[in-house]
Every structure is written in C-alpha cells, then in structure tokens.
Amino acid sequence: MPRYYEEKEEDGRACSGVREDLRQCLLESACVLRENKSPKQCLREGHCKSLQMTFFACKRSMVSARVR
C-alpha cells in the first residue's frame, strides 16, 4: 500500500512521497531481491507499474501548460 501520505522526510523535490514509495517498491521486489537485477532494470520490465504511472502523473501535473 502506498505510504506517500504518512510521515516522511521532506526532500523539497516534486512528488517526493510517491518517488520514495516507488523506490521502496522496487527495492523490495522479487526482481531485485531474488534475481539480483538493478532497480532500473526491474522498472523497465514492468515491476511496480502502478506507482510508476502515479509518479509520472504527478510529475506531469507539475509541468505548466504551454501557451500556443
């Protein structure tokens, strides 16, 4: 379950809570623990997909709309 709403250290970056949850999800995944792959590799293979999409949506919401 996501923990981005619980007490966490603020690092000042956008979407820091979701970023931390994604990091924890990857580090605790079987891909990293059992298969000894890097978190980056596991992310590319589709692990923690829902948190990845949440993080993407959060970062995307921070971008200002471009004026045409």
Side-chain angles (χ1 to χ4, degrees), residues 21-36:
D21 287 341
L22 178 58
R23 181 181 161 277
Q24 277 303 117
C25 178
L26 287 168
L27 291 177
E28 294 172 0
S29 70
C31 180
V32 171
L33 296 176
R34 292 190 190 122
E35 298 175 24
N36 295 323

